[in-house]
Amino acid sequence: MKNIVILTGSGISAESGISTFRGGDGLWDGHRIEDVATPEAFERDPDLVQSFYNTRRAQLATVKPNPAHAALVALENAWQGEFLLVTQNVDDLHERAGSKKLIHMHGELKKARCLETGQVYDWQGALTQDTVCACCQREGMLRPHIVWFGEMPLAMEHIYHALRKADIFLSIGTSGLVYPAAGFVQEVRRNNRNCRTVEINLEPTAGRSYFAESVYGKAGEVLPGFVQQLLND
Ligand code: APR
């Protein structure tokens, strides 16, 4: 029985209609990263940051999972060994498709967190500086549960544990420019030189030389076939 770890990035949600980060249309809607995705930005202009993420959260109601998300659910359901899906995405398309063993290492749009206690809440609607936090009973204490630049990604111990035991590592729809996720492929190879490493992307990425295999194409088009093959192997 083989253990598999899968890393996904914004490319897997592209065919659902969510913009990638570094694509031509850009997720940032004219905002510089420093203006919306750093703790300093939130301190400086919380209304701007809240409204930026409110827009993204609201957008989730207009999109749905695509065949790439579904293929990973089929893989999880049929997989005999250990399985872990790690996503850098803050959308909810993996869980809506049915993924269960899933870690959102960069947080989730549909969650809010108390600045005072760290308590995390499920959050569907808009978050404003007038929202009263349920645990500290104060306004302006809830922030998006998103890992901003300069902050530590979530569940790293769990992820590295799985990477060290991986026999197969797939990296899907991520440019491989943002660490620590970009370094996962090197981590698996360090621990298991025989680990099968596959990059699945529209095009070769900056980290392509670390992968022994690659499949290029749209995730929604190539992943279902790739998964079927993996399950047949
Ligand atoms: N199928 C497969 N890959 C695709 C598709 C598609 N349909 N569309 C785009 N891609 C690929 C692009 O070629 C690119 O390599 O997806 C990748 C998207 O890269 P980025 O925009 O850099 O997104 P990502 O790698 O997820 O970014 C990582 O950076 O800004 C931070 O925290 C943010 O989680 C994000 C992290």
Side-chain angles (χ1 to χ4, degrees):
M1 281 198 300
K2 295 202 159 134
N3 301 332
I4 189 165
V5 178
I6 301 156
L7 172 70
T8 63
S10 59
I12 198 167
S13 296
E15 288 154 76
S16 292
I18 299 181
S19 312
T20 58
F21 289 84
R22 294 169 184 80
D25 45 0
L27 170 79
W28 307 102
D29 285 345
H31 296 291
R32 292 181 312 152
I33 282 174
E34 312 87 81
D35 292 337
V36 287
T38 62
E40 294 75 23
F42 188 59
E43 265 173 44
R44 199 168 49 236
D45 192 347
D47 292 327
L48 172 72
V49 174
Q50 295 283 25
S51 99
F52 178 80
Y53 287 100
N54 286 342
T55 306
R56 316 248 85 78
R57 195 177 304 111
Q59 187 200 14
L60 295 182
T62 69
V63 297
K64 55 182 197 318
N66 68 56
H69 296 100
L72 294 183
V73 178
L75 183 61
E76 177 176 355
N77 290 341
W79 198 253
Q80 299 293 314
E82 288 184 30
F83 178 102
L84 183 65
L85 173 57
V86 180
T87 188
Q88 298 167 90
N89 300 343
V90 295
D91 66 54
D92 61 350
L93 296 181
H94 280 306
E95 50 270 50
R96 272 163 59 193
S99 288
K100 297 274 184 301
K101 292 177 188 151
L102 167 70
I103 289 177
H104 279 277
M105 64 178 287
H106 289 168
E108 294 170 65
L109 279 169
K110 286 203 172 162
K111 289 195 172 155
R113 187 168 83 235
C114 175
L115 291 166
E116 174 92 3
T117 65
Q119 172 84 36
V120 175
Y121 296 96
D122 287 333
W123 211 267
Q124 305 293 332
L127 197 56
T128 72
Q129 289 305 93
D130 300 330
T131 309
V132 176
C133 171
C135 58
C136 69
Q137 300 296 323
R138 285 157 60 197
E139 291 182 358
M141 295 305 286
L142 286 170
R143 60 165 275 182
H145 186 48
I146 299 284
V147 175
W148 286 324
F149 285 88
E151 297 183 321
M152 191 64 81
L154 307 172
M156 291 310 289
E157 224 169 289
H158 185 158
I159 295 169
Y160 277 107
H161 182 72
L163 289 172
R164 288 189 203 108
K165 293 196 301 178
D167 301 298
I168 305 175
F169 175 71
L170 312 180
S171 175
I172 305 167
T174 175
S175 57
L177 292 171
V178 174
Y179 283 80
F184 288 175
V185 61
Q186 289 147 280
E187 182 70 18
V188 294
R189 289 168 58 124
R190 233 190 324 272
N191 284 279
N192 175 4
R193 290 173 67 84
N194 298 319
C195 181
R196 186 174 173 193
T197 51
V198 189
E199 164 165 284
I200 299 167
N201 200 297
L202 265 187
E203 56 193 14
T205 70
R208 67 181 178 277
S209 60
Y210 296 115
F211 293 88
E213 298 168 49
S214 47
V215 179
Y216 297 122
K218 290 185 173 181
E221 291 172 6
V222 299
L223 201 55
F226 179 84
V227 161
Q228 203 47 57
Q229 226 171 11
L230 199 57
L231 290 172
N232 291 342
D233 280 351

